[in-house]
Amino acid sequence: MRQEFDNELAPATREKMKKNLVYLGIFSVIMLFAGFTSAYIVSMGDSFWVKFDFPPAFYVSTAIIVLSSIVLEAGIRLGRKGNPKAAKILIPLTFLLGVGFTWFQFKGYGQLVDRGAHFRSDILVTQGRYGDFYELKVNGKYLEVNANEYLIAGKKIDAAAKTDISQFAKQLLKADTKLPASIN
């Protein structure tokens, strides 16, 4: 049975089939990421999209994963060219770079959590809305939020004022929304 299958197709035809399957796989991955990119761009235009600054640890982890790919490829090529000593150094180095990548990913997600970006939130949509609307007045002027910028009377506030307002607004999260409230 196996011999009949091996003799059924010419080796050149079999290689062409393998190459076409690889091209199909690459095209599928490109289309998948194109779809993700499109969804990301469309979602960014929505007002519900949460915007935050990208933690520096993610830039470092990206550089490490690119470097580890280069080191792994170099190790494999040197090993195939008859230099096993270089391969024995570069392959474990790839593993160590992978550990570094993982560490910086955890650090980056920790920085996101520290900034208030969580995977899970206490927002629960039960009636088709995201919560009650409220406004904050600072020194008699309304606080405006535009992406990551907080504005008072059209002027961007500094980090210290943003922290003070954030600390003040935390008490609103625990307020009973069914009762009228006045907070000073």
Side-chain angles (χ1 to χ4, degrees):
M1 179 80 174
R2 173 78 177 158
Q3 193 165 8
E4 290 175 19
F5 179 74
D6 288 342
N7 294 334
E8 189 174 312
L9 294 173
T13 305
R14 199 170 302 127
E15 284 300 315
K16 187 175 181 182
M17 288 172 53
K18 288 179 186 177
K19 194 180 285 188
N20 286 337
L21 283 174
V22 169
Y23 290 148
L24 180 68
I26 290 171
F27 180 74
S28 298
V29 169
I30 289 171
M31 290 304 294
L32 176 72
F33 280 101
F36 285 152
T37 303
S38 174
Y40 174 76
I41 290 169
V42 169
S43 295
M44 285 279 300
D46 193 11
S47 62
F48 184 67
W49 189 266
V50 178
K51 295 178 175 88
F52 54 86
D53 296 327
F54 204 59
F58 286 140
Y59 293 113
V60 175
S61 70
T62 302
I64 288 175
I65 201 68
V66 169
L67 180 64
S68 72
S69 298
I70 294 169
V71 169
L72 178 63
E73 184 64 28
I76 291 172
R77 286 183 186 214
L78 288 172
R80 286 183 180 161
K81 288 184 178 180
N83 191 349
K85 287 183 181 181
K88 287 180 182 178
I89 293 170
L90 294 177
I91 303 296
L93 180 61
T94 302
F95 175 76
L96 293 175
L97 288 169
V99 170
F101 167 78
T102 305
W103 188 79
F104 276 102
Q105 285 287 300
F106 277 112
K107 186 173 179 163
Y109 281 109
Q111 290 171 351
L112 283 177
V113 169
D114 291 343
R115 294 176 183 178
H118 301 278
F119 288 116
R120 185 192 69 79
S121 175
D122 291 332
I123 298 174
L124 180 63
V125 180
T126 58
Q127 300 172 353
R129 60 191 178 115
Y130 290 106
D132 295 326
F133 179 76
Y134 64 91
E135 295 178 333
L136 290 178
K137 271 189 175 181
V138 178
N139 298 328
K141 298 176 182 168
Y142 286 106
L143 176 73
E144 302 170 46
V145 180
N146 182 8
N148 286 334
E149 295 182 358
Y150 292 82
L151 311 166
I152 297 176
K155 295 180 182 176
K156 188 175 176 182
I157 64 173
D158 61 4
K162 184 177 173 183
T163 303
D164 291 342
I165 293 169
S166 175
Q167 293 299 323
F168 167 77
K170 280 186 180 179
Q171 64 183 320
L172 299 173
L173 295 174
K174 295 184 171 103
D176 187 357
T177 58
K178 295 183 173 99
L179 299 174
S182 177
I183 301 173
N184 295 321

PDB file of all heavy atoms in Angstrom, residues 72 97 123 136:
ATOM      1  N   LEU A  72      18.349  32.071  17.206  1.00  0.00           N
ATOM      2  CA  LEU A  72      17.970  30.684  16.906  1.00  0.00           C
ATOM      3  C   LEU A  72      18.298  30.334  15.459  1.00  0.00           C
ATOM      4  O   LEU A  72      18.876  29.273  15.191  1.00  0.00           O
ATOM      5  CB  LEU A  72      16.477  30.468  17.180  1.00  0.00           C
ATOM      6  CG  LEU A  72      15.941  29.074  16.853  1.00  0.00           C
ATOM      7  CD1 LEU A  72      16.619  28.025  17.732  1.00  0.00           C
ATOM      8  CD2 LEU A  72      14.446  29.023  17.024  1.00  0.00           C
ATOM      9  N   LEU A  97      16.888  33.960  26.184  1.00  0.00           N
ATOM     10  CA  LEU A  97      16.166  35.122  25.655  1.00  0.00           C
ATOM     11  C   LEU A  97      14.653  34.914  25.759  1.00  0.00           C
ATOM     12  O   LEU A  97      13.905  35.861  26.013  1.00  0.00           O
ATOM     13  CB  LEU A  97      16.573  35.389  24.215  1.00  0.00           C
ATOM     14  CG  LEU A  97      17.978  35.969  24.019  1.00  0.00           C
ATOM     15  CD1 LEU A  97      18.378  35.935  22.546  1.00  0.00           C
ATOM     16  CD2 LEU A  97      18.059  37.374  24.568  1.00  0.00           C
ATOM     17  N   ILE A 123     -17.500  46.453  35.499  1.00  0.00           N
ATOM     18  CA  ILE A 123     -18.583  46.899  34.632  1.00  0.00           C
ATOM     19  C   ILE A 123     -19.311  45.664  34.124  1.00  0.00           C
ATOM     20  O   ILE A 123     -18.710  44.766  33.552  1.00  0.00           O
ATOM     21  CB  ILE A 123     -18.056  47.715  33.446  1.00  0.00           C
ATOM     22  CG1 ILE A 123     -17.359  48.975  33.927  1.00  0.00           C
ATOM     23  CG2 ILE A 123     -19.185  48.055  32.485  1.00  0.00           C
ATOM     24  CD1 ILE A 123     -16.690  49.752  32.821  1.00  0.00           C
ATOM     25  N   LEU A 136     -17.710  65.632  36.247  1.00  0.00           N
ATOM     26  CA  LEU A 136     -16.940  66.203  37.355  1.00  0.00           C
ATOM     27  C   LEU A 136     -16.639  67.660  37.038  1.00  0.00           C
ATOM     28  O   LEU A 136     -16.257  67.990  35.912  1.00  0.00           O
ATOM     29  CB  LEU A 136     -15.613  65.452  37.543  1.00  0.00           C
ATOM     30  CG  LEU A 136     -15.678  64.030  38.075  1.00  0.00           C
ATOM     31  CD1 LEU A 136     -14.279  63.441  38.143  1.00  0.00           C
ATOM     32  CD2 LEU A 136     -16.325  63.991  39.438  1.00  0.00           C
TER      33      LEU A 136
END
